[in-house]
Amino acid sequence: MSDILTTTLQAEAIKPKIGARVLNSKEELLSGAISADIRKLLEQRGVLVFPQISFTDAEQIAFTKTLGTFAPERAGGDEVISPITIDEKVAGATAEYLKGSLFWHIDGTRNDVPILASLLSCKKPSPKGTGNTGFSNTYAAWDDLPDDRKAKIEHLRVLHAPWATLFYHDPEPSLAKLQNYLAIGEKELPLVWAHQSGRKSLVIGNTAHSVIGKAPGESAAILVGLREWATQEQFTYSHEWTEGDMVIWDNTGTMHRAEWYDPASGRLMHRTKLEGEEPFE
Ligand code: OGA
Ligand code: MN
């Protein structure tokens, strides 16, 4: 085949240990011709930025489906975009829940098979200096841990609980509110995820409530210490949004968080997700 007819992935690294910008056109992305390469790059870089790609909702859904299986927001739900905002006037009860996303987390730690990736498009940014999205490469963070620290934590298990995230933004909730979160359930997960690829990543973030079998203080010290380690400058990238940008993160090898923004700023993101392909192990 002649080179002229071959679409190749055009990308550049953002930081040595995290992030890449993908520079292909909308048409090239939607063709599906480079989807396998995008999947590979996503796993290598943790987060991919598509500067001002300005997908419509239909295009974002179509592009999502070139990468894997579209994950509806609720099991059995429709293939639609989810609006992401912490403005309760726009998103009601979901906005309340999304306040937890202002702290480092992995999406869907209550599922056996967590979602593979999320795609987030910026419809309206908040004012500069607010509302960036931060990403931490939890593969790189594991890889660079000193061997003695790896040995101490490698076989630990952690109770993950959505209810634990409530206390980050509402330290004295009503019992009724806590019970709503409790109803979502809890899950015990490995602290270190040994992926089928042979790579390992840390499974931490705001849903990580406690290390099984450790006293509360020791457990907190382990989890806080690893969050502090994994969110150091060399493992993180903070994306400052311009309207039309889209970002994909590998939810199996990164944590992310929204940085503070005024709920009334009008900041609005449109999200789609890819179904997970590998259980936590
Ligand atoms: C999410 C999320 C962060 C943001 O959509 O899962 O955490 O910056 N979003 O809005
Ligand atoms: Mn999230």
Side-chain angles (χ1 to χ4, degrees):
M1 199 192 293
S2 114
D3 279 344
I4 298 166
L5 296 174
T6 309
T7 305
T8 52
L9 176 60
Q10 307 291 332
E12 60 190 27
I14 297 177
K15 290 176 75 175
K17 291 178 194 277
I18 185 167
R21 268 178 225 100
V22 176
L23 305 171
N24 292 85
S25 68
K26 200 186 241 201
E27 291 68 31
E28 289 171 331
L29 296 175
L30 288 169
S31 76
I34 51 171
S35 293
D37 290 336
I38 291 173
R39 280 283 303 263
K40 238 181 272 159
L41 189 69
L42 177 63
E43 205 251 357
Q44 288 162 2
R45 307 300 309 164
V47 50
L48 304 182
V49 176
F50 301 76
Q52 287 170 273
I53 194 71
S54 299
F55 276 148
T56 64
D57 289 353
E59 286 167 343
Q60 182 172 338
I61 291 166
F63 177 63
T64 304
K65 290 163 84 171
T66 71
L67 297 173
T69 306
F70 187 98
E73 207 58 30
R74 274 163 287 282
D78 295 328
E79 289 181 353
V80 292
I81 286 280
S82 304
I84 302 296
T85 172
I86 56 168
D87 186 350
E88 287 175 24
K89 287 196 210 78
V90 177
T94 317
E96 216 283 321
Y97 185 71
L98 280 168
K99 285 183 190 163
S101 71
L102 292 162
F103 304 90
W104 290 109
H105 66 283
I106 295 171
D107 291 332
T109 53
R110 65 185 176 278
N111 303 319
D112 288 328
V113 180
I115 56 158
L116 174 73
S118 291
L119 297 83
L120 203 61
S121 287
C122 181
K123 298 296 153 177
K124 186 174 186 298
S126 51
K128 293 276 175 255
T130 72
N132 283 16
T133 304
F135 299 93
S136 147
N137 188 332
T138 54
Y139 280 123
W142 165 260
D143 287 343
D144 287 3
L145 269 179
D147 284 345
D148 59 332
R149 203 159 158 200
K150 279 185 176 163
K152 277 198 202 114
I153 65 162
E154 176 139 32
H155 302 291
L156 296 177
R157 295 184 69 80
V158 174
L159 182 73
H160 282 257
W163 64 261
T165 71
L166 170 60
F167 293 93
Y168 280 75
H169 57 88
D170 188 355
E172 294 183 340
S174 66
L175 178 58
K177 195 188 259 186
L178 175 62
Q179 274 164 340
N180 284 337
Y181 276 75
L182 283 167
I184 304 170
E186 301 178 334
K187 196 151 192 68
E188 191 184 305
L189 298 174
L191 178 56
V192 180
W193 184 354
H195 298 256
Q196 284 156 15
S197 64
R199 297 180 76 197
K200 289 179 181 169
S201 65
L202 293 167
V203 183
I204 50 179
N206 64 0
T207 61
H209 174 264
S210 51
V211 180
I212 308 294
K214 299 284 183 194
E218 190 186 352
S219 161
I222 292 169
L223 295 172
V224 168
L226 288 173
R227 192 249 304 135
E228 184 177 67
W229 172 266
T231 58
Q232 293 177 97
E233 179 62 32
Q234 69 269 33
F235 305 129
T236 54
Y237 167 65
S238 172
H239 185 69
E240 181 179 295
W241 293 96
T242 298
E243 187 180 319
D245 286 353
M246 186 180 72
V247 163
I248 310 183
W249 64 88
D250 175 353
N251 188 57
T252 72
T254 59
M255 287 191 286
H256 61 281
R257 65 167 178 185
E259 296 175 15
W260 182 88
Y261 62 97
D262 181 351
S265 65
R267 183 190 194 264
L268 181 65
M269 303 287 169
H270 279 188
R271 185 176 71 187
T272 50
K273 297 196 285 197
L274 282 167
E275 211 70 81
E277 298 174 0
E278 185 181 4
F280 288 111
E281 237 153 55

